C-alpha cells in the first residue's frame, strides 16, 4: 500500500474517531484522540517515519500529502480542544443546578428586626453589663416547674390568675404561663451564686386589645449569700433607667406573688406626660412594668437550697408592653399578625 493510500485511510479513521469524541463530549476523549494520532506512537507520527522509506522521486508528493493530513488533524484537534471547554462548563452546570455566577436582583427591601427582638436585645445588653447570664427553658413544662415548686400548690387561688393551657399528656403538663419556671430549672441544675436572666415566650388563655394568648416575658433572679432588697431595688432601678431614660422616676409598690416575700410591683414614670397624667398612663402618671420580690423560702426548699444560708431576689415582666411603649403601638395584637407593612417600619439594628 502506498503512503498516499495509507494517508487516506488514516484520514477516514480520524474522521470516525473524531465523531466519537464529539459524541462523548469529554475533554479526556479529545486528549486520547490527540495521543492516538499526534502522540509519539501516534498514527500520523508513524506516517512521518514511513516517509523515510519512500523513494527520492516520490518523496516530495508523499511528504506534501502527509503534511496536509497532519495539518488537518492538528487543526481539528485544536478546534475540539476549544469546544471541550464549553463541554466542561455544561457538565458543571448540570452537576450544580444553582448558578452562583448569576447576578442577583438589586434588593430594595432589607429585613428589619421585630420590635420585641429590639427590646429583648437591648434588655440582654443591659443585664449582661450588670453581670447576668442569659439562659433558656422549656415552653412546654411540668406543672411542678411552673406552679408547685414556685409555692403555688394545687387549688391555690393564684392558679386562677393565669389561665393555663394544659397539654394532653400522661403527666400533668402545660404551656408555661410565665418565665418563672426557669428559676426552678436553673436552681436545680446549678449552685449559687446565680445571676440569671431568661427571656422567652409564655402562654395564657386570653385575647383582647391588651392581651394575646402568646406573649413574651423576661425573668431575672439573683441567688447568693447576703442578697437584700437593696440589691433588688438597685438592679431594677438601673435597668429601668437604661431602657426608659435616666431622667424618668421609678417606684415600687407592695404586691403579692406566691414565690416571693416580700413582693412588689415596679413602675416607671410615664414618658408621654412626664408624670402629669395622660391617656397612655390612664391619668396615673405611671406605667406598670412588672413584679418582683425576695425569693420565698419555700422555693428554696423545693430546689434543695438552704434558705438560712442563701437569699435572693427575682423579677419578671412583659417585653411586649415595653415594645408597645417604646414604639407607641396602640394594639398589642399588631405585634403578632406578621404584617410586613407594619413590621418593616422598625430599625434593622437595635442601637
Ligand atoms: N411570673 C409573674 C407573672 O407572670 C411575674 C413575676 C412577679 C416574676 C414577681 C417574678 C417575681 O420573678 O418575683 O405575672
Amino acid at each position: 500500500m502506498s503512503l498516499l493510500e495509507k494517508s487516506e485511510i488514516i484520514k477516514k479513521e480520524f474522521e470516525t474517531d473524531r465523531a466519537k469524541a464529539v459524541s462523548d463530549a469529554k475533554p479526556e476523549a479529545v486528549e486520547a484522540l490527540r495521543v492516538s494520532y499526534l502522540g509519539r506512537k501516534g498514527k500520523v507520527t508513524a506516517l512521518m517515519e514511513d516517509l523515510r522509506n519512500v523513494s527520492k522521486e516520490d518523496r516530495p508528493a508523499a511528504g506534501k500529502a502527509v503534511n496536509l493530513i497532519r495539518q488537518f488533524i492538528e487543526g481539528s484537534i485544536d478546534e475540539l480542544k476549544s469546544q471541550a471547554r464549553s463541554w466542561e462548563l455544561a457538565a458543571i452546570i448540570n452537576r450544580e443546578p444553582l448558578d452562583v455566577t448569576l447576578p442577583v436582583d438589586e434588593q430594595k427591601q432589607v429585613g428589619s428586626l421585630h420590635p420585641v427582638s429590639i427590646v429583648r436585645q437591648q434588655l440582654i445588653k443591659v443585664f449582661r453589663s450588670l453581670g447576668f447570664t442569659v439562659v433558656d427553658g422549656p415552653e412546654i413544662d411540668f406543672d411542678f416547674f411552673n406552679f408547685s415548686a414556685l409555692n403555688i400548690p394545687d387549688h391555690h387561688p393564684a392558679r386562677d390568675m393565669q389561665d393555663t393551657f394544659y397539654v394532653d399528656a400522661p403527666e400533668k403538663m402545660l404551656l408555661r404561663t410565665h418565665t418563672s419556671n426557669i428559676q426552678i430549672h436553673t436552681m436545680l441544675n446549678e449552685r449559687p451564686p446565680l445571676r440569671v436572666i431568661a427571656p422567652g415566650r409564655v402562654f395564657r388563655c386570653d385575647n383582647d386589645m391588651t392581651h394575646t394568648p402568646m406573649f413574651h416575658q423576661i425573668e431575672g433572679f439573683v441567688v447568693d449569700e447576703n442578697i437584700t432588697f437593696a440589691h433588688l431595688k438597685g438592679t431594677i432601678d438601673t435597668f429601668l433607667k437604661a431602657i426608659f431614660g435616666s431622667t424618668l422616676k421609678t417606684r415600687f409598690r407592695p404586691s403579692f406573688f406566691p414565690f416571693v416575700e416580700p413582693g412588689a410591683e415596679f413602675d416607671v414614670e410615664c414618658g408621654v406626660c412626664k408624670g402629669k397624667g395622660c391617656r397612655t398612663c390612664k391619668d396615673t402618671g405611671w406605667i406598670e412594668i412588672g413584679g418582683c420580690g425576695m425569693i420565698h423560702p419555700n422555693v428554696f426548699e423545693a430546689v434543695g437550697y438552704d434558705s438560712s444560708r442563701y437569699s435572693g431576689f427575682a423579677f419578671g415582666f412583659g417585653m411586649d408592653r415595653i415594645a408597645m411603649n417604646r414604639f407607641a403601638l396602640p394594639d398589642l395584637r399588631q405585634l403578632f399578625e406578621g404584617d410586613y407593612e407594619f413590621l418593616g417600619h422598625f430599625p434593622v439594628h437595635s442601637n
Side-chain angles (χ1 to χ4, degrees):
M1 196 194 299
S2 76
L3 205 60
L4 281 176
E5 284 167 330
K6 253 192 193 166
S7 306
E8 275 313 304
I9 291 173
I10 287 180
K11 192 177 171 203
K12 290 247 160 61
E13 283 175 356
F14 175 75
E15 276 164 353
T16 319
D17 289 348
R18 182 177 61 178
K20 246 190 256 149
V22 170
S23 73
D24 269 4
K26 284 191 185 122
E28 305 89 84
V30 177
E31 179 57 13
L33 189 67
R34 189 192 66 78
V35 170
S36 76
Y37 285 86
L38 304 174
R40 258 195 316 126
K41 294 186 180 145
K43 292 179 182 174
V44 176
T45 319
L47 265 186
M48 310 281 276
E49 273 158 20
D50 282 351
L51 262 182
R52 270 188 247 137
N53 309 326
V54 176
S55 63
K56 252 193 179 147
E57 50 275 25
D58 292 344
R59 207 176 283 165
K64 204 172 168 194
V66 171
N67 255 338
L68 279 175
I69 296 280
R70 190 171 58 93
Q71 279 166 10
F72 168 71
I73 291 181
E74 276 176 357
S76 290
I77 285 184
D78 280 349
E79 224 171 87
L80 285 180
K81 272 190 191 157
S82 63
Q83 262 185 36
R85 258 173 243 132
S86 61
W87 297 336
E88 234 170 347
L89 203 62
I92 291 172
I93 290 169
N94 277 337
R95 236 181 299 130
E96 301 169 13
L98 190 70
D99 179 4
V100 291
T101 64
L102 200 69
V104 290
D105 288 344
E106 192 191 334
Q107 296 291 302
K108 295 199 183 63
Q109 203 180 344
V110 292
S112 58
L113 286 173
H114 192 282
V116 176
S117 302
I118 297 173
V119 167
R120 186 187 52 222
Q121 289 186 359
Q122 198 182 4
L123 285 166
I124 287 176
K125 201 167 160 188
V126 171
F127 280 111
R128 280 220 170 108
S129 76
L130 295 174
F132 283 71
T133 53
V134 182
V135 304
D136 203 5
E139 292 176 354
I140 303 173
D141 211 352
F142 293 98
D143 178 283
F144 172 78
F145 298 93
N146 194 82
F147 287 131
S148 330
L150 285 163
N151 198 29
I152 315 175
D154 270 349
H155 311 299
H156 191 285
R159 292 198 178 203
D160 297 340
M161 283 159 52
Q162 308 182 346
D163 292 309
T164 311
F165 286 113
Y166 284 93
V167 176
D168 224 5
E171 280 174 85
K172 227 170 152 191
M173 291 195 87
L174 42 80
L175 301 188
R176 67 174 175 201
T177 58
H178 52 185
T179 42
S180 305
N181 67 332
I182 296 174
Q183 289 189 32
I184 306 304
H185 286 285
T186 310
M187 287 191 224
L188 283 173
N189 287 336
E190 289 171 45
R191 309 298 304 170
L194 296 175
R195 238 187 285 178
V196 166
I197 53 158
R201 297 197 292 181
V202 301
F203 307 85
R204 290 182 203 175
C205 198
D206 225 344
N207 204 7
D208 59 38
M209 279 269 283
T210 50
H211 298 90
T212 48
M214 183 282 298
F215 57 104
H216 301 87
Q217 285 191 335
I218 188 162
E219 191 80 11
F221 53 97
V222 169
V223 182
D224 201 350
E225 292 175 8
N226 304 316
I227 297 294
T228 71
F229 204 91
H231 295 114
L232 167 60
K233 278 192 86 170
T235 306
I236 301 264
D237 191 57
T238 304
F239 106 78
L240 286 178
K241 289 202 155 81
I243 300 291
F244 292 99
S246 55
T247 55
L248 291 180
K249 288 192 196 121
T250 60
R251 75 170 183 188
F252 290 75
R253 287 175 288 113
S255 188
F256 172 77
F257 301 94
F259 32 92
V260 285
E261 182 61 37
E265 282 174 77
F266 50 96
D267 307 335
V268 66
E269 200 177 13
C270 177
V272 177
C273 61
K274 301 275 182 290
K276 287 190 193 69
C278 69
R279 245 180 30 175
T280 306
C281 59
K282 301 196 188 81
D283 284 324
T284 62
W286 296 94
I287 307 284
E288 292 179 12
I289 303 295
C292 62
M294 300 305 292
I295 295 172
H296 198 289
N298 289 355
V299 174
F300 283 146
E301 197 174 309
V303 296
Y305 282 11
D306 179 359
S307 61
S308 65
R309 179 171 172 201
Y310 293 114
S311 56
F313 66 79
F315 56 88
F317 56 91
M319 293 195 283
D320 317 273
R321 291 285 167 77
I322 294 187
M324 280 178 83
N325 208 282
R326 269 276 297 278
F327 301 109
L329 310 174
D331 186 343
L332 182 71
R333 290 172 297 194
Q334 283 175 295
L335 289 176
F336 308 119
E337 281 167 352
D339 176 355
Y340 274 159
E341 209 36 54
F342 165 77
L343 293 174
H345 290 309
F346 300 94
V348 180
H349 301 292
S350 58
N351 37 37

